[in-house]
Each structure stands twice: as C-alpha cells, then as structure tokens.
Amino acid sequence: MPYCVNCGVELNSDAKRCPLCGVRVVLPPSLRGNSDTSTQPRKRDIAESVFDKGLWIQVTSTLMVIPALLSVVVNVLSGTGLSWSLYVVTALGAVWVWCISPFLFRRNIVPLWIAIDSVALLGLLAVVNALSPRPGWFVPLALPISASLSVLVLMLVVLTKRRVLRELHIVAAGLLSLGLFCLIVEGAVDLYLTQVLRPQWSLIVLAVCAPLAVVAMLLQRRRAVVEDMKMWLRM
Amino acid sequence: MSSQAPAARRWYRLDNAANVYPAVRSKTRPGLFRVSATLNEPVQPDLLQQALGDTLRRIPSFSVRMRSGLFWHYFRHAEDELTIQEDVRNPCMGLSARKDKGFQIRVRYHDRRIALEVFHSVSDGSGTLAFLKTLTARYLWKCGIAIPATHGVLDCDQPAQPAEAADDFDAFAGRSTPRGRREARAYHVSGTRVPHLTLNITTGTLPVGAVKEEARRYGVSITEYLTACYLHILNSIQASEHRRRPLPVKVQVPVNLRRFHPSETLRNFSSYVTPGIDPTHGEYSFEEILSLVHHFMRYEVTDKHLRSRVAANTRTEQHALIRITPLFLKNRLINLGYQLSGPAIYTSVMTNLGMVQVPPEMAEHVATFDFHLGPSYTTNVDCGVLGYRDKLRINFTRVIHEPIVERAFFTFLVRQGIPVKVESNSE
C-alpha cells in the first residue's frame, strides 16, 4: 500500500500522485497495483445550451407593456383622447407576438410560429387601416401582399426543414420566391391604383433572379463547388 | 396530509423546504446531491432498469416532473419510464430536459456502482438513502438474491403509503414561535475556479472505530468531532490568508428531523444548525472549538429550537401576502432571501448521514455507500459524510483547483492518530 510521504495518508495502489499535495508516488513495479479504471468513469457530463423561455417572455412583456401604457396615458392627458396611442399599442402588440411566438410551445414548430407572426402582421395592418383617415387599402393591397409573403416564407421553411431543398437549391428557391413576390406586389399596387395589371419593374427583378436561380441549381450539381462554398461560408 | 394513496396522485405540492430550490436553481447552482452504492459484482443495466421501474412504482414521489403553477411550483407525477444512464466523472451537474426527460432524479451505473442523483426539492439525504437502499435491494432481488424489507429497505410488492409522501414540516413546527434568520456573513474558502461542469471529488476512508475512539476521548459524538475538526482547519486556512478583519467561520450541519418527530416521509424533512467561531474574539485551540461545537449542538439540536427554526420557514410560506404573490415575483423574492441567508452565512456544509444500516443479506453484496453534495460556487468546498460497516467515507466536493481544505482536514486527522485512505476523481 503506498502512502504519501508528505501528507501521511494512504493512497490507492494505482495512484501516481497524491491527490492532496501532488507529490509523486514512487513504487517498485512489483508493488504497483493494476490500474483500476473502473472506479472512475471516463465519460463526462457535457453542457447543453439552455434558453430561459419564461424569462424571455416576462422581459419582453414588461418591455412592451411599459411604453404602451405610457403612450396611452400621455395621449389621454394631452386631451385628444385615444388617437395616436392606438397605433403605438397595436404596433407594440404585434412586436410582442413576433418576439414570443417562437417560445410559446414546448416543441419548436417553426411553421406554426410563422403562421402566428403572419396573423399578427395582418392584425396590425387591419387596425392601422381601420384607424387611418383613408381606409380601404387593407383588402386590395395589404392582404394579398402580406399573405403571399407569409405563404412564400412558410413554403421555403417547410421545404428546407424537410430537407426537400438543400444548400444552393435553397438559394435558387429564395431568388425565385423574391421574383414572384415582386410580381405580386406590383400586381396588387397596379390593381389598387389603376385597376389595370401592367407589370414593369417586377419583371426586371424576375429577369435578374431567374437566371441566378438557374445558375445556383446548376452549381448544386457540382459537389466540389458546393463544398468550396461551404468552406468559404464556414457552413 | 392527503388521505389519497400517492400512487394515484397526479400531482404533489412541494414541501416547505423544497420551494426554495427551483427558485434559486441555476447553471452554477444545480441543487443536486448524490448517494451511491458500490456492489461486489458489476451492475447489469437491464436488471437495474427493471428494478428502477419497480422502485419508482413503490416510491412514486420520486417519479415526478417540476411544473410551474400561478403561485407555486408543483410536482406532476410522471407515468413514463425513467431511463438509467452511464455514470460520469463529473456528477451532480444540472438536470437536462432532453437527457433526463424532465425527471428530477437520475440513476447512473458504472462497473459495480449504482448512483442516484436527486434534485433537493424531491427529497433530503435520508429519504434518498431509503430510495437507494430499496433500489439496490430490488436489483439484488432481480439477480436472484432475496433481501428482506427491513433496516429501511421498502418492499416493492407493497403499495405506496400516503405517509411516505407527506409534508411534515407544518406538523413539526406546530405553534412554535418563529426565530429570526439574520446571521452575519461568513468566510468562504477561495481558490482558482475550475471550468464550468467540473467537480473535483476527494474521498477519505477512515476506520469508524478509530474516529469513535477519538471522539469518545473528548466526550463528544462523531458529528461533533468531525465538525470541530472542519471548523479548526477552516479557521487555520483563513488565518493563513492574513486578512485585516477575519470573518466568522461557520459550518452548516443539516439535522434529520425524523429523530424528533414521528415521520415516515421520504421527502424533505430536515433542518440545520450552523456552529461556528468568530476569529475576531481571539485564537481558538482545537479543544476550545470542540467544546464550543459540543455545547452549541447540545443546545441547538433540540426539539424546541428546531421547531422554532422550522416555524420561521412554514410561517413565511403561509403568509397571506406571500401566498397571493405570483410565482415569477415569488421566485425573485426567494432568490433575494437566499442571497442574504443562504450560503453567504456559512463557510461550508458538512452533512453526516450517519451509519447506513442494511439487512445482513444485503450487506454481503454491497461494498460501500457514498454521499456527495453537488457543486456550490459560493462555499466552493462542501463535505458529505456517511458510515457503512466499519468504514467512514468523507467525500469533499470542490469547484476550485486547490485541494487545500481536504489536505488540511485529512492531514489533521492523520496527526490525531486516525489512519486515512484518500482517493480522488481528478485526472
């Protein structure tokens, strides 16, 4: 049995150093015990990133409630009743929904929180439309633009998450979606203002996006280029 | 106390002591401790998994997940199976929602060892030891070794008893007058902090007979003797730092309330006392410290004083204003209280679980028991003591690099004539 010459305590027969003072244990090989690895496991518990969802929701709610209440109080005290403060309250409400929607559910269901965010955006636009002096733009203009944006983003996210789209295919789909979205925006604006569909600038955007998307799809077929791009982008 | 059988209970209130831990739980304060049994033969994981299922059905208050209500945290009974895990070199790290599936305990195995790590809200040392003894006995039964349900081992074929999941703090406190909790800030051992998720463990094995003989020579109990040794070396460490104004040196010693109140609960039912010395009053010899600790413990560890201490906590919990405070605010209040009257007021913890008694049939197959406290980044070093057969196992857990406390403690015991065998998990 080895003892530490410095501390006077008995040590394990396989100990190389005293755990208390670090003094080396010198034993003739015939007296050295077998290295008993079984007493201490080799595996270590590793850290997991933990995000405190509850705290995030509490902090966000507090940060939204305070300016909302302040603006309502200032608006009422200034003698104009509830007028401009409703814009502030609605905007803060929408921002609050966007901030907390990813953390509302135990599982991270991305399509669900994108859908909730879209509803919040539509709600914000509907309220602003109702409060504005010249209403009537929500249904012909805001609704198709924001709904199409939501659908396109939702499609891109779902297809990416299900691994239907990969690497440069995502870039290609994103470029095509951008071109399509510009077409929808210009179409909606044309119909609202002149009731005639005459696409112009959106076609230029599409003309730029579409060839780039084709290039991305072609590049995706060359694995070496994809690997190089991954390396440059540290993906 | 509910008359409903715990096996059928869907949820549990947290007991009085348990309410603190979820509020103060953090990455650096996981609130876990560990008891483990080392058998004579390697553990068979599949049999251990089966034994764990049977034990959790027998003691359902351990099969729970923590949930937040509007005003308090509560435990939701978990119906699904807790999976055993391989043991690690750094135990007692925070519970993970993914790996531990939200359970508040984890069971680990390595070679001949079965280890149980428990979040302190679930149970205290005695309750956890009862669970481990039952789990180990059930495991041995699965291996074909019959173990009688005596010496604190529960029979897994019997249904769960309501009294085992009771919160007995209120009944114990009775109408006792609450005492104040204000105490002066204590000295803390300092050192180079280890990286996060590192826990240095140093275990000293001592012959019980030698320690008992030494304690008897001074006319004190083993706990009093070890606490005095601990205070003595902590005081020496502070003295070596040459502080301009030394702080009081105090050791928190948990007290099992089951000794004072008839209780069968396997949940928390313990309080604590903090014997200590104030170095500003002058130099203390070891004999002086021993005498102080002895008389302090005899005075404080009494039915009346402990009731008064527990009453301070139960009255706070029952206060109307506290009860109607929403949980998120309550958590912050509890955290503030913990900062003021938690580890700040003691230098270290020394928990003695006492001599572990098991049926003779089981003792033939269990080599040692161990007890480890989890990491504490305030005290930096804590100590868990437990006796089994003719050996006393003293486990120091430390989150600083330097083993100054362990070295001073064990070399002091060696100088007192007690042989010590030391091992460590340090690489």
Side-chain angles (χ1 to χ4, degrees), chain A residues 183-205:
Chain A
L183 262 179
I184 294 168
V185 170
E186 193 176 18
V189 171
D190 281 353
L191 284 175
Y192 177 65
L193 293 177
T194 60
Q195 281 80 45
V196 182
L197 197 62
R198 199 181 302 147
Q200 289 172 356
W201 60 267
S202 59
L203 287 178
I204 299 170
V205 177

Side-chain angles (χ1 to χ4, degrees), chain A residues 10 38-39 43 45 47-48, chain B residues 89-90 96 110 113 420 422:
Chain A
E10 187 186 330
S38 63
T39 54
K43 205 176 135 189
D45 216 349
E48 285 187 344
Chain B
R89 193 173 271 266
N90 53 338
S96 141
H110 175 76
R113 188 187 302 148
V420 181
V422 173

